């Protein structure tokens, strides 16, 4: 694939590639100067040194490997145009090294970047700033990098640390691709509770992982980003060595039930400390549609929490059936759709494998690449239905675990995902064989047929497993309905 028209003649014939969301964020931050001193994606030696010791090969501290994965065929080129998901060229990568990651076996390209245009941004684009677009502030600037909402406790701690340092405040909203608009609206909603003159800047930075070491490296990266934006200190919940700027750790705070305010624990009588609302309990309140208490968070934040995590009864959901051809997944999926429509209260869209093949994926073959593309298309449509509060019921074969996981990630970013494995034995599926497909596959007339000449990777993460050789269709539908009722997505009959 080569670059589109609109580029200069010298670039038009270059190959193009669309990085994944993390790599696109890295690309933007490199070009904006936020990742200084990086000027491009890292090579094998730099990446290995960062992973091993948190430093580039020249000894410069750097916390995370900033790399670019590509198909192997792109490793043969000297320059590659990097574009956004809509096909807009953003930069040219001058390839200094093509290398294979020894852990993941992925092929990667390294080298400096030449900017072509700034990335396009949607909501709140007026808040986006490059570091060189900000007027430098004199004195102390406290950077606050957050992916989550600031509740009354965090707001109080922030104000206390800012007062202690006599600092202005810079809030960096770390955008992850999930509920970004709610996060920014919530921060704007509590602006009056921040110190005067506080600035709020959205920064694209999807999470890279949740392990302890990664959490520490996230703080190190946040410190680099905050420093690039002019912060002299970073608010963090613990001291970490090697940060680009000093870390300011707030003292413990709690809610004083006697005087009904949040304040330092040292100033509260032990029997007056009210237990904090845990993330689990907060999730339960939101799932049930119950109000978040005012003592815990300001009303503006509570409203955005409810938008970001609607009650389960009105939250979008995808029920994704997977199984061999003839397993009965389409029958159960249709029965579930009918049952939900009969109960009312939810909009339902059935994305059956055969119907999707005729309408959404007409022209695709049954090669592995095309089968994966078919499942991604189903996942994309299901995610959009889920995003808008609907119920998507999908019933493809979906034989590959990696592609199912990709669909789960797409849907889970905007709602809930339920995986149902219809684990009817192959022998029973062949016995049914109403379309004669298994017989043709056994005869070699259908190549790459799942279960015969191509593998079916059984799910290890199914939320429910059904065997329709042992269950009548109504019984199988009932088990799925029971799961949805018990989970809170559907009202009891």
């Amino acid at each position: 694939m080569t670059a589109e028209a609109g580029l200069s003649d010298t670039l038009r014939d270059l190959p193009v590639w669309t990085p994944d969301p993390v790599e696109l964020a890295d690309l933007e931050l490199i070009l904006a100067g936020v990742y200084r001193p990086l000027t491009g994606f890292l090579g094998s030696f730099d990446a290995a040194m960062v992973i091993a010791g948190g430093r580039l090969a020249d000894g410069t501290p750097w916390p995370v490997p900033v790399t670019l994965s590509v198909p192997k065929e792109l490793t043969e080129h000297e320059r590659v145009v990097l574009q956004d998901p809509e096909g807009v060229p953003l930069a040219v990568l001058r390839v200094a090294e093509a290398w294979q990651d020894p852990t993941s076996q992925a092929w990667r390209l390294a080298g400096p970047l030449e900017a072509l245009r700034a990335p396009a941004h949607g909501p709140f684009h007026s808040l986006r700033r490059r570091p060189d677009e900000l007027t430098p502030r004199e004195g102390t600037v406290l950077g606050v990098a957050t992916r989550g909402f600031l509740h009354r406790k965090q707001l109080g701690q922030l104000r206390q640390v800012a007062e202690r340092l006599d600092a202005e405040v810079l809030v960096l909203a770390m955008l992850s691709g999930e509920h970004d608009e709610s996060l920014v609206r919530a921060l704007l909603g509590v602006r009056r509770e921040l110190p005067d003159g506080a600035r709020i800047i959205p920064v694209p930075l999807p999470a890279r992982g949740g392990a302890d070491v990664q959490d520490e490296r996230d703080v190190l990266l946040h410190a680099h980003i905050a420093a690039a934006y002019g912060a002299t200190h970073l608010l963090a919940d613990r001291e970490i060595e090697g940060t680009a700027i000093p870390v300011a750790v707030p003292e413990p705070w709690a809610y004083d039930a006697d005087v009904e305010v949040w304040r330092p624990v040292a100033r509260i009588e032990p029997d007056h400390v009210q237990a904090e609302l845990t993330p689990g309990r907060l999730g339960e309140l939101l799932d049930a549609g119950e109000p978040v208490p005012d003592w815990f968070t300001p009303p503006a934040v509570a409203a955005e929490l409810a938008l970001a995590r609607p009650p389960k009864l009105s939250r979008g959901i995808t029920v994704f059936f997977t199984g061999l051809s003839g397993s009965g997944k389409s029958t159960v999926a249709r029965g579930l759709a009918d049952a939900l429509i009969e109960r009312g209260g939810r909009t339902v869209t059935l994305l059956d494998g055969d119907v999707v093949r005729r309408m959404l994926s007409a022209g695709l073959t049954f090669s592995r690449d095309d089968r994966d593309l078919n499942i991604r298309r189903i996942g994309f449509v299901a995610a959009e239905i889920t995003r808008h509060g609907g119920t998507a019921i999908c019933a493809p074969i979906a034989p590959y675990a990696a592609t199912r996981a990709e669909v789960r990630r797409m849907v889970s970013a905007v709602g809930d995902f339920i995986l149902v494995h219809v684990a009817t034995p192959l022998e029973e599926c062949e016995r049914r064989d109403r379309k004669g497909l298994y017989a043709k596959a056994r005869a070699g007339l259908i190549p790459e047929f799942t279960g015969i000449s191509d593998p079916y990777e059984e799910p290890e993460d199914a939320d429910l497993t059904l065997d329709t050789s042992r269950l009548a269709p109504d019984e199988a539908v009932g088990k799925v309905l029971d799961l949805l009722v018990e989970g809170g997505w559907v009202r009891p009959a």
Side-chain angles (χ1 to χ4, degrees):
M1 186 174 180
T2 56
E4 299 178 356
L7 295 175
S8 66
D9 292 339
T10 57
L11 301 178
R12 194 168 297 156
D13 295 330
L14 295 182
V16 299
W17 178 244
T18 304
D20 69 26
V22 171
E23 294 165 344
L24 275 172
D26 288 339
L27 170 64
E28 179 174 346
L29 297 178
I30 291 170
L31 297 178
V34 177
Y35 273 2
R36 60 188 185 192
L38 302 192
T39 57
F41 290 100
L42 299 183
S44 56
F45 190 38
D46 272 322
M49 292 292 288
V50 167
I51 292 171
R55 292 182 179 273
L56 301 173
D58 64 4
T60 302
W62 189 259
V64 296
V66 179
T67 58
L68 175 69
S69 299
V70 297
K72 185 178 180 181
E73 55 267 25
L74 285 184
T75 62
E76 302 172 0
H77 296 272
E78 296 181 354
R79 292 190 297 170
V80 176
V81 174
L82 303 180
Q83 63 183 15
D84 69 12
E86 295 182 356
V88 177
L90 300 177
V92 175
L93 172 68
R94 296 183 179 274
V95 180
E97 180 188 3
W99 56 287
Q100 190 172 22
D101 189 305
T103 302
S104 66
Q105 301 303 309
W107 286 95
R108 306 193 190 280
L109 296 181
L113 292 163
E114 173 191 342
L116 296 175
R117 56 174 57 84
H121 296 123
F124 302 112
H125 64 88
S126 61
L127 296 178
R128 301 277 190 124
R129 291 290 185 273
R130 297 168 53 105
D132 58 11
E133 293 175 332
L134 297 181
T135 303
R137 300 289 179 95
E138 296 182 0
T140 305
V141 177
L142 177 64
V144 182
T146 181
R147 296 189 187 281
F149 300 97
L150 298 182
H151 302 299
R152 294 199 187 278
K153 173 183 175 180
Q154 290 80 26
L155 289 165
Q157 290 175 311
L158 188 162
R159 288 193 299 267
Q160 183 191 40
V161 173
E163 183 177 350
R164 185 180 79 208
L165 297 175
D166 190 23
E168 297 188 22
V169 171
L170 172 66
V171 180
L172 301 173
M174 298 302 187
L175 307 184
S176 63
E178 299 183 21
H179 313 304
D180 290 340
E181 290 80 12
S182 286
L183 172 60
V184 177
R185 284 196 300 265
L187 292 173
L188 293 174
V190 297
R191 190 174 232 165
R192 288 179 297 179
E193 302 194 37
L194 297 172
D196 290 344
R199 291 176 293 180
I200 299 172
I201 298 178
V203 178
L205 195 73
R208 295 172 183 268
D212 289 343
V213 64
Q214 189 63 67
D215 287 341
E216 181 173 313
R217 290 190 175 189
D218 277 346
V219 175
L220 292 169
L221 183 58
H222 293 170
H224 273 279
I225 293 172
Y229 276 101
T232 60
H233 294 72
L234 178 72
L235 187 71
D237 59 5
R238 56 188 168 129
E239 289 282 356
I240 292 178
E241 295 183 359
T243 52
I245 52 178
V247 168
V249 179
E251 63 177 304
W253 275 45
Y255 185 72
D256 188 335
D258 183 45
V259 293
E260 298 183 335
V261 295
W262 285 90
R263 56 182 180 171
V265 172
R267 296 170 57 189
I268 307 175
E269 294 293 331
D271 57 346
H272 292 164
V273 174
Q274 180 168 311
E276 190 168 348
L277 195 65
T278 65
R281 178 56 184 153
L282 175 60
E284 291 174 358
L285 291 175
L286 294 170
D287 288 347
E290 297 178 13
V292 179
D294 184 74
W295 65 264
F296 174 74
T297 199
V301 177
E304 292 303 330
L305 281 169
L307 287 174
R309 185 167 174 166
K312 278 192 169 183
L313 284 173
S314 58
R315 188 184 308 165
I317 183 174
T318 290
V319 182
F320 193 96
F321 291 86
T322 175
L324 296 171
S325 177
S327 62
K329 59 188 180 300
S330 293
T331 301
V332 180
R334 284 195 299 272
L336 176 64
D338 292 344
L340 291 176
I341 291 171
E342 289 171 7
R343 289 186 178 216
R346 276 195 168 273
T347 57
V348 179
T349 301
L350 178 61
L351 298 171
D352 181 65
D354 291 335
V355 175
V356 167
R357 274 283 179 178
R358 290 197 302 271
M359 303 298 293
L360 186 63
S361 296
L364 293 185
T365 69
F366 287 88
S367 69
R368 174 155 188 161
D369 286 346
D370 277 5
R371 278 185 284 179
D372 278 345
L373 178 56
N374 179 53
I375 301 306
R376 289 191 188 97
R377 288 179 178 179
I378 292 172
F380 175 80
V381 174
E384 289 304 302
I385 293 167
T386 302
R387 182 194 306 276
H388 296 289
T391 303
I393 301 175
C394 312
I397 293 174
Y400 307 125
T403 317
R404 293 194 300 262
E406 189 176 340
V407 173
R408 182 187 284 274
R409 286 192 296 271
M410 279 193 283
V411 173
S412 297
V414 294
D416 290 339
F417 181 89
I418 299 294
L419 181 64
V420 180
H421 178 204
V422 185
T424 306
L426 174 62
E427 296 76 14
E428 176 63 17
C429 295
E430 285 198 74
R431 189 191 66 77
R432 295 172 180 177
D433 201 16
R434 294 182 302 170
K435 303 174 186 177
L437 299 177
Y438 282 99
K440 291 180 181 179
R442 292 285 187 191
L445 301 178
I446 302 179
E448 297 182 293
F449 189 82
T450 301
I452 303 299
S453 52
D454 202 66
Y456 176 81
E457 299 172 359
E458 293 199 359
E460 297 180 354
D461 58 343
D463 299 285
L464 178 66
T465 300
L466 304 172
D467 179 352
T468 63
S469 68
R470 300 181 179 184
L471 293 170
D474 286 349
E475 292 177 300
V477 170
K479 287 187 175 294
V480 183
L481 275 174
D482 288 345
L483 176 65
L484 296 180
V485 170
E486 291 168 5
W489 293 284
V490 175
R491 295 185 191 280

